[in-house]
Amino acid sequence: MAQDWSRYRRSPGLPLETMHAHFTRHVYHRHSHESYSFGMTEEGAQSFTCRGAAHTSVSGMLMAFNPDDPHDGHAADLLGFTYRIVHVGPELVASVLEDATGRETGLPLFARPVVRDAALAARLRALSGALLGDVDDLRRYDLLSTAIMSVVRRAAVRPVRPQDVTRADAREIAERVRRHLHDAHSPGSGAAEVTTEVTADDLAALTGRSRFAVYRAFRSVYGMPPSDYQRLLRLRTARRLIAEGRALGEAAAVAGFADQSHLNRWFVRCYGISPGEYRAAGPVRPGAAGTRRWPPDPRRSG
């Protein structure tokens, strides 16, 4: 029987918290939260009562509790269960919905405590994982807004629709954001190298559009959210610095990663090799020591 464990993290300055846990023995006493609570079971099964009925959640299901919904919980069998839960304050949910629709929408109501929707569960898992790790403001907003809008549109009694943006408008917004991300991420050389942190509020102010409109426009034009594009620029900078012979920790810091392990995780995910393996491949920067000209200069042959 696996031992119970849990990890918990609060987001600074926001009514946003998450937990990742495995429980076999722990039994939740009947309780409620001031926040919306969205959970997903990764392994095993958990049983609980809510709104006068018994429910069981397994992998691929989403649990949705309204503020002040009394509920309890325990493992459905001796193997226990592993799950994630995200608590989002009502004011933050309202802010995300207003930002996405351009109007006051009122708070959503979730009539079913359990929803079978693997896609929603996956988005919640991504949000929880990011909140437990090292995530910047832009990435946190991307994941939070996507998760909230998805769960409200697909599981709430009163779904909402985001504000429409024309294709021409989307291209203009996306191009302004792209230029700004490049300008903010253009380290030069020497000890003064730094990258400027960009937030979702910065991009909204730059374009005069809501944070969600910026997110949708950029993704529709470039195929990824602004946070992923920002990370791509950081990875490119890290590759260049490593090729120039800079220490891995220094390259991570200059490129804008939280630390060397943060760089390592994303480097492997995007390039299939670690930063150390990339460094060991040899100098690749044009003009670096040991780099041979190709094709060869015929004036130097013979």
Side-chain angles (χ1 to χ4, degrees):
M1 184 178 294
Q3 187 175 4
D4 289 3
W5 55 263
S6 63
R7 296 176 59 207
Y8 205 99
R9 178 70 66 88
R10 291 188 300 273
S11 292
L14 290 174
L16 181 62
E17 304 177 5
T18 190
M19 181 173 72
H20 187 204
H22 176 84
F23 292 135
T24 55
R25 303 176 182 86
H26 179 67
V27 175
Y28 280 112
H29 187 74
R30 194 163 182 78
H31 67 286
S32 65
H33 301 274
E34 295 178 320
S35 62
Y36 285 95
S37 299
F38 304 110
M40 58 85 61
T41 305
E42 292 182 317
E43 297 179 357
Q46 56 179 310
S47 297
F48 63 94
T49 58
C50 182
R51 304 173 210 164
H55 307 273
T56 298
S57 173
V58 298
S59 180
M61 291 182 173
L62 176 86
M63 294 176 288
F65 301 116
N66 300 301
D68 299 320
D69 262 346
H71 58 280
D72 52 25
H74 57 86
D77 55 38
L78 295 178
L79 296 177
F81 64 95
T82 305
Y83 87 125
R84 296 175 183 268
I85 193 159
V86 177
H87 304 289
V88 190
E91 64 273 31
L92 184 54
V93 171
S95 174
V96 169
L97 297 181
E98 183 177 346
D99 190 53
T101 61
R103 66 182 190 280
E104 291 187 12
T105 62
L107 291 173
L109 175 66
F110 297 94
R112 293 178 293 164
V114 178
V115 179
R116 184 179 290 276
D117 192 317
L120 286 181
R123 286 178 176 172
L124 181 71
R125 180 176 185 171
L127 173 61
S128 173
L131 296 177
L132 284 169
D134 299 308
V135 60
D136 57 34
D137 177 89
L138 199 56
R139 180 62 173 167
R140 181 172 55 233
Y141 180 79
D142 287 351
L143 291 171
L144 175 64
S145 60
T146 299
I148 293 298
M149 284 299 299
S150 296
V151 72
V152 169
R153 293 178 67 185
R154 297 168 68 163
V157 174
R158 296 189 296 269
V160 298
R161 296 188 61 182
Q163 196 173 26
D164 290 331
V165 176
T166 67
R167 183 64 182 172
D169 204 16
R171 285 196 297 270
E172 181 180 351
I173 293 170
E175 180 57 24
R176 292 185 68 182
V177 169
R178 189 191 69 83
R179 288 198 302 266
H180 184 74
L181 291 174
H182 276 270
D183 290 343
H185 193 90
S186 53
S189 59
E193 294 183 79
V194 293
T195 57
T196 304
E197 186 66 35
V198 177
T199 69
D201 287 335
D202 293 336
L203 299 183
L206 173 74
T207 60
R209 293 304 188 96
S210 73
R211 294 168 296 175
F212 193 79
V214 169
Y215 168 85
R216 292 185 68 212
F218 195 91
R219 183 160 190 162
S220 70
V221 174
Y222 290 107
M224 64 179 70
S227 61
D228 282 358
Y229 193 84
Q230 178 177 249
R231 188 190 307 112
L232 177 63
L233 295 179
R234 290 172 174 171
L235 284 169
R236 291 174 180 174
T237 295
R239 280 169 63 101
R240 174 179 62 80
L241 295 174
I242 293 169
E244 290 174 354
R246 305 283 281 272
L248 299 184
E250 182 184 6
V254 171
F257 288 93
D259 51 35
Q260 186 174 328
S261 63
H262 188 204
L263 167 63
N264 188 76
R265 288 195 300 273
W266 281 106
F267 206 97
V268 171
R269 288 182 66 176
C270 291
Y271 301 132
I273 59 173
S274 70
E277 290 172 316
Y278 182 71
R279 179 177 59 184
V284 296
R285 180 177 63 82
T291 301
R292 306 180 70 177
R293 183 182 297 275
W294 189 262
D297 187 338
R299 293 172 298 179
R300 296 178 180 272
S301 62

